[in-house]
DNA sequence: ACCTGAACACCGTTCAAGT
DNA sequence: ACCTGAACACCGTTCAAGT
């Protein structure tokens, strides 16, 4: 029985947050409840409250963990010499951030729900503003730019509707039915589905669309610079 | 006592959804529970399930009501003659949609959470695609455009962090503390706060930023047309 | 200092029963 | 056809109590 009674690793804020990320990664964000989080750590739900004020703080912390992961990755990206190509560097940072988020698909939604200005996010933004300033942006334009990018700065863009899993191409029969009420939409989807039949992420490749939108904004900013 | 027993208006899917919008408008989306919804209608929570499958369907319906409101407003906007200025018309539609959403500030978050392709949204999109096609867009470019606009097509853009209420300008003392770790960010915020002290929606005017981002994208698309 | 059991005030939802 | 009471399986959280 003493073999069973091996001293458990004590809880800590850090362990709690890491376990929370693990649960969200493995079972989705809706599986992240205080009770399940405690279970994952071999403790009771009430024990968590000694290390964390409440669930909101868990969610804040979870976002902080993810953004820290992003900061580590983009920290390895070089800064261009002053005046050199800010756009390339910014693009690289943003696409790298996106790669991290693709490993935590539940994260964008949680990030958006936070109202606290987390240190890790501030740090991420600092680097982007520094890049733009180095590239000749006025403070005013850099400020506009951050708003124009919005969540794209962190590597994700809000689609109109959350797709619960990969989007499947519309069936010909569906397009036919659509054509009556929504001729332009049906025509567009038919053509796009046809032109791009085997793209990796479904009938419209999110990565391609993300980069299209990103470049549209970055190019526009470059013109205003 | 018979005066009390006046026959109540019977429940209906429509009444349920309208009541749901009312609650969200008046007390916020987190106040929208099945029990409170029933209370608002003078019924028991369980009665709702006769008219609506579950809460998800309530949320779908609520979004549908809001987008229908948008469709009514934008429906009064004229369509430019073929080949005429698509951009002006698109801008007007989107800014009108935004005005509706400003009356239902909880709506963007709920809209984004839906995974079902609601008829009202399809109809809204149809009109935008029609405008672009009329303006000389290929189907492919129109498709890219819809993705690039994302939620901006409906009149809202996801800020990095949800601001629970209006954002206040940072205090000079806060900026000072920030300057040590985040010099570019602090410098930017200091200058922007100074340049634009009295904007209506706080230290950075969301409407201005929304229009800036929107025009950046629309101008970019116009160039690719 | 760290953890827990019992309990509270909420959720959404089912189901058999009422009118 | 429409509505409801009682009940179930969950939530987050408090608080007094344990070690």
């Amino acid at each position: 029985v003493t073999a069973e009674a091996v001293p458990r690793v004590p809880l800590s804020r850090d362990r709690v947050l890491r376990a929370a990320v693990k649960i969200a990664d493995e079972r989705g964000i809706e599986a992240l409840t205080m009770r399940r989080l405690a279970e994952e750590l071999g403790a009771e739900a009430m024990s968590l409250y000694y290390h964390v004020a409440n669930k909101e703080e868990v969610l804040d912390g979870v976002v902080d963990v993810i953004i820290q992961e992003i900061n580590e990755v983009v920290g390895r990206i070089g800064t261009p010499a002053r005046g050199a190509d800010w756009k390339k560097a910014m693009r690289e940072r943003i696409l790298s951030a996106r790669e991290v988020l693709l490993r935590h698909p539940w994260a964008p939604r949680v990030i958006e729900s936070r109202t606290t200005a987390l240190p890790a996010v501030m740090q991420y933004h600092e680097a982007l503003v520094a890049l733009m300033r180095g590239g000749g942006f006025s403070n005013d334009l850099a400020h506009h730019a951050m708003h124009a990018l919005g969540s794209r700065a962190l590597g994700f863009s809000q689609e109109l509707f959350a797709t619960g899993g990969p989007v499947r191409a519309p069936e010909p029969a569906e397009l036919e039915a659509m054509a009556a009420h929504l001729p332009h939409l049906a025509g567009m989807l038919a053509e796009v589905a046809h032109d791009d039949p085997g793209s990796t992420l479904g009938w419209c490749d999110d990565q391609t669309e993300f980069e299209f939108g990103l470049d549209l904004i970055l190019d526009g900013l470059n013109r205003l610079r």
Side-chain angles (χ1 to χ4, degrees), chain A:
Chain A
V1 240
T2 45
E4 298 276 18
V6 59
R8 268 195 327 233
V9 190
L11 292 179
S12 71
R13 193 185 141 83
D14 204 64
R15 281 194 71 213
V16 168
L17 299 182
R18 281 178 204 292
V21 170
K22 184 163 179 256
I23 289 173
D25 283 343
E26 289 173 359
R27 297 192 277 175
I29 191 66
E30 72 287 346
L32 178 56
T33 69
M34 297 302 270
R35 283 170 162 88
R36 245 186 289 238
L37 183 50
E39 196 186 350
E40 173 80 26
L41 292 161
E44 298 301 315
M46 306 76 204
S47 311
L48 301 175
Y49 288 87
Y50 189 81
H51 300 94
V52 114
N54 47 37
K55 190 174 181 183
E56 285 296 288
E57 201 175 297
V58 173
L59 293 175
D60 277 349
V62 149
V63 169
D64 214 47
V65 167
I66 300 296
I67 311 283
Q68 276 174 38
E69 192 182 337
I70 288 178
N71 281 339
E72 273 170 41
V73 172
V74 300
R76 291 194 284 270
I77 298 174
T79 319
R82 212 179 151 71
D85 201 342
W86 66 276
K87 205 173 81 176
K88 192 181 144 208
M90 192 119 154
R91 194 173 193 280
E92 196 182 347
R93 283 185 118 82
I94 292 176
L95 292 181
S96 298
R98 179 175 172 82
E99 276 175 39
V100 174
L101 290 181
L102 287 176
R103 295 201 293 270
H104 309 286
W106 47 271
R109 184 166 304 262
V110 183
I111 291 171
E112 282 177 350
S113 74
R114 301 299 82 203
T115 77
T116 40
L118 298 163
V121 186
M122 303 295 269
Q123 196 190 322
Y124 180 83
H125 282 55
E126 167 71 12
L128 291 190
V129 173
L131 272 179
M132 289 189 281
R133 293 289 284 156
F137 281 59
S138 70
N139 272 324
D140 192 50
L141 183 57
H143 180 244
H144 281 318
M146 292 308 293
H147 278 282
L149 283 167
S151 64
R152 268 196 182 89
L154 269 169
F156 64 98
S157 70
Q158 219 35 72
E159 294 294 321
L160 262 310
F161 285 98
T163 63
V167 184
R168 58 164 182 67
E171 306 284 340
E174 288 177 283
L175 285 174
E176 186 107 15
M178 236 175 110
H181 310 92
L182 310 162
H184 293 92
L185 219 47
M188 184 185 83
L189 293 181
E191 187 169 316
V192 172
H194 175 262
D195 283 347
D196 191 6
S199 72
T200 23
L201 292 167
W203 65 275
C204 62
D205 183 344
D206 286 324
Q207 182 67 25
T208 304
E209 299 303 341
F210 182 82
E211 294 188 22
F212 177 87
L214 178 60
D215 288 335
L216 200 66
I217 292 175
L218 294 182
D219 288 341
L221 292 171
N222 201 36
R223 217 166 275 115
L224 294 175
R225 191 165 53 107

